[in-house]
């Protein structure tokens, strides 16, 4: 993989090495425990956005289930979809304007944090309603910093999608979304799990905050199959992924079929196609850079390393890479001497 800075370029070439290096990583205290990033503190916020395209028919489609919605928000929605709420039937929110997902941290301790999740729909319609200027859903989840999972009413519902621990990348098979709340409501579905973690080293990712040069970390998820007839006919199948900044572990693009954050808001199937990104990508050299097609990083108070300094990213992964290179060089020197 390759990383570019102003007037500087560094490259890491991955080759075979001895099992001792991997044993070291497994036994390392940094690699064996969930450790949130340094920016994970009270007052931190991050906002992601989806913008419509120029076409009149390019709307977003979001499917909600009343019994999963925050109780205080049901009151706001009742005048528009009262019958759906009464029968706990799936209903849709069509969006013709932007959608903003904002995540805020507070009450952060060594063992837990409260994570407020707010989703705002602009210029949206509910059922046959006239366009509504703004509709919001909001809920606060407990994030256990010991195991790295969200809890809602005592139930573990999944891992946060907006960041990863760069010192402990999620392993293949780890549960990203526990679908127990859905199965309890007559949905047939499997848990959504991590299927692969890889490094993206070819393209620059463009967001409203900044350009993120490679490498980035890509967490791919397995297939989610979800069906129900009790709440209205629904059959949903799909795969998804999230792109993370290598330096900070922050998600810079959310392109998931669903997530613990969305389920906690009552959204079974969010609209994650970004028409604005699609239009912008037509104007770019897509082989070198692109706008993500999902929720794009829009605003945050997180400070990113200054690339013009030419310094390597200050993360535990950097030290693992340096250690790995050192061990490889030592091993090669020993072989040459033999």
């Amino acid at each position: 993989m390759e990383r570019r800075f102003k007037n500087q370029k560094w490259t890491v070439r991955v080759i075979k090495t001895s099992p001792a290096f991997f044993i070291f990583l497994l036994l390392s205290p940094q690699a064996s425990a969930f450790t949130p990033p340094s920016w994970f503190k009270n007052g931190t916020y991050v906002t992601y956005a989806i913008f419509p395209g120029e076409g009149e028919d390019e709307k977003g489609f979001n499917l909600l289930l009343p019994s999963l919605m925050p109780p205080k928000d049901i009151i706001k929605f009742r005048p528009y979809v009262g019958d759906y709420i009464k029968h706990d039937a799936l209903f849709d929110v069509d969006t013709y304007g932007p959608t903003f997902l904002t995540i805020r941290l507070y009450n952060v301790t060594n063992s837990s944090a409260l994570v407020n999740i707010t989703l705002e729909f602009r210029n949206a319609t509910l059922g046959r309603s006239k366009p509504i200027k703004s509709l919001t859903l909001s809920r606060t989840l407990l994030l256990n910093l010991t195991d790295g999972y969200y809890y809602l009413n005592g139930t573990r519902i999944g891992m946060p999608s907006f960041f990863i621990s760069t010192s402990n990348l999620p392993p293949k098979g780890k549960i990203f979304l526990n679908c127990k709340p859905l199965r309890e409501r007559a949905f047939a579905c499997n848990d959504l799990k991590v299927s692969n973690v890889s490094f993206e080293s070819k393209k620059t990712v463009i967001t409203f905050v900044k350009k993120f040069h490679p490498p980035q970390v890509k967490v791919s998820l397995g297939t989610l199959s979800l069906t129900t007839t009790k709440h209205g006919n629904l059959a949903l199948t799909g795969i998804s992924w999230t792109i993370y900044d290598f330096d900070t572990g922050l998600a810079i693009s959310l392109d998931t079929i669903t997530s613990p954050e969305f389920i906690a808001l009552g959204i079974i199937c969010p609209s994650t196609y970004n028409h604005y990104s699609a239009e912008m990508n037509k104007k770019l050299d897509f082989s070198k850079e692109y706008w993500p097609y999902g929720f794009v990083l829009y605003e945050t108070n997180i400070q990113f390393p200054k690339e013009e300094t030419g310094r390597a990213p200050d993360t535990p992964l950097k030290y693992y890479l340096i250690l790995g290179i050192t061990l490889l060089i030592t091993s090669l020197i020993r072989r040459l001497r033999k």
Side-chain angles (χ1 to χ4, degrees):
M1 50 190 159
E2 182 177 282
R3 187 63 185 265
R4 295 180 181 272
F5 299 98
K6 186 176 180 181
N7 301 323
Q8 186 175 2
K9 179 176 73 173
W10 59 269
T11 302
V12 176
R13 192 178 303 277
V14 180
I15 62 176
K16 292 184 178 180
T17 186
S18 67
F21 175 57
F22 299 102
I23 294 173
F24 171 84
L25 291 182
L26 290 172
L27 296 179
S28 168
Q30 283 187 311
S32 62
F34 179 83
T35 305
S38 59
W39 53 260
F40 196 93
K41 60 185 72 173
N42 288 321
T44 296
Y45 76 91
V46 57
T47 298
Y48 301 91
I50 283 183
F51 283 89
E54 297 179 356
E56 294 182 359
D57 297 329
E58 293 180 346
K59 66 178 181 180
F61 175 82
N62 303 269
L63 201 58
L64 279 74
L65 182 69
S67 63
L68 278 175
M69 292 173 59
K72 60 182 176 56
D73 289 329
I74 290 180
I75 298 173
K76 295 186 295 186
F77 282 66
R78 192 180 297 278
Y80 308 103
V81 287
D83 288 340
Y84 290 90
I85 292 174
K86 179 180 178 180
H87 300 289
D88 196 26
L90 291 165
F91 68 92
D92 61 277
V93 176
D94 294 333
T95 53
Y96 297 87
T99 301
F100 298 98
L101 174 66
T102 300
I103 298 170
R104 295 181 183 274
L105 305 179
Y106 62 99
N107 285 10
V108 178
T109 68
N110 291 332
S111 59
S112 66
L114 294 180
V115 181
N116 178 260
I117 304 156
T118 300
L119 189 69
E120 180 186 6
F121 303 110
R122 299 266 184 94
N123 193 20
T125 59
L126 279 167
R128 297 180 180 179
S129 74
K130 294 181 180 180
I132 303 165
K133 186 176 180 180
S134 177
L135 275 173
T136 59
L137 291 163
S138 183
R139 173 167 259 165
T140 298
L141 296 176
L142 173 68
L143 178 59
N144 186 323
L145 297 180
T146 301
D147 60 13
Y149 280 102
Y150 284 126
Y151 285 80
L152 176 62
N153 299 326
T155 299
R156 178 192 287 186
I157 63 170
M159 55 186 278
S161 64
F162 70 99
F163 79 95
I164 55 173
S165 171
T166 54
S167 61
N168 186 19
L169 297 175
K172 182 178 181 180
K174 182 174 182 177
I175 294 178
F176 172 76
L177 172 65
N178 177 8
C179 287
K180 180 181 177 181
L182 294 175
R183 289 190 286 267
E184 291 176 343
R185 292 166 173 80
F187 284 84
C189 57
N190 60 287
D191 292 334
L192 188 56
K193 300 180 180 181
V194 174
S195 63
N196 189 45
V197 178
S198 59
F199 290 96
E200 298 293 291
S201 59
K202 296 181 180 180
K203 298 182 182 180
T204 295
V205 179
I206 306 174
T207 74
F208 294 97
V209 173
K210 67 187 293 287
K211 288 186 176 183
F212 292 88
H213 299 287
Q216 304 98 23
V217 181
K218 180 179 181 180
V219 176
S220 302
L221 304 175
T223 301
L224 175 68
S225 298
L226 187 151
T227 59
T228 185
T229 56
K230 177 181 177 181
H231 307 281
N233 293 322
L234 173 68
L236 177 66
T237 302
I239 57 175
S240 51
W241 56 85
T242 299
I243 303 295
Y244 297 91
D245 174 36
F246 182 88
D247 294 355
T248 63
L250 180 70
I252 56 181
S253 166
L254 300 172
D255 198 3
T256 58
I257 189 170
T258 190
S259 72
E261 292 92 348
F262 286 121
I263 292 297
L265 295 176
I267 301 176
I268 304 298
C269 178
S271 176
T272 59
Y273 185 75
N274 203 319
H275 294 280
Y276 174 84
S277 294
E279 292 177 357
M280 293 299 293
N281 284 335
K282 295 177 182 178
K283 307 172 185 178
L284 301 173
D285 183 349
F286 194 77
S287 66
K288 297 180 179 179
E289 59 182 5
Y290 71 100
W291 282 81
Y293 286 101
F295 275 89
V296 178
L297 180 63
Y298 181 72
E299 186 179 345
T300 182
N301 58 359
I302 295 171
Q303 299 297 312
F304 296 95
K306 294 182 179 180
E307 296 181 353
E308 63 266 24
T309 61
R311 296 177 60 188
D314 189 17
T315 66
L317 281 178
K318 178 189 72 174
Y319 298 108
Y320 293 156
L321 291 172
I322 293 174
L323 177 60
I325 293 171
T326 302
L327 291 175
L328 289 175
I329 293 174
T330 302
S331 177
L332 289 173
I333 292 173
R334 288 179 178 177
R335 290 181 182 179
L336 290 174
R337 288 178 175 178
K338 291 181 179 179

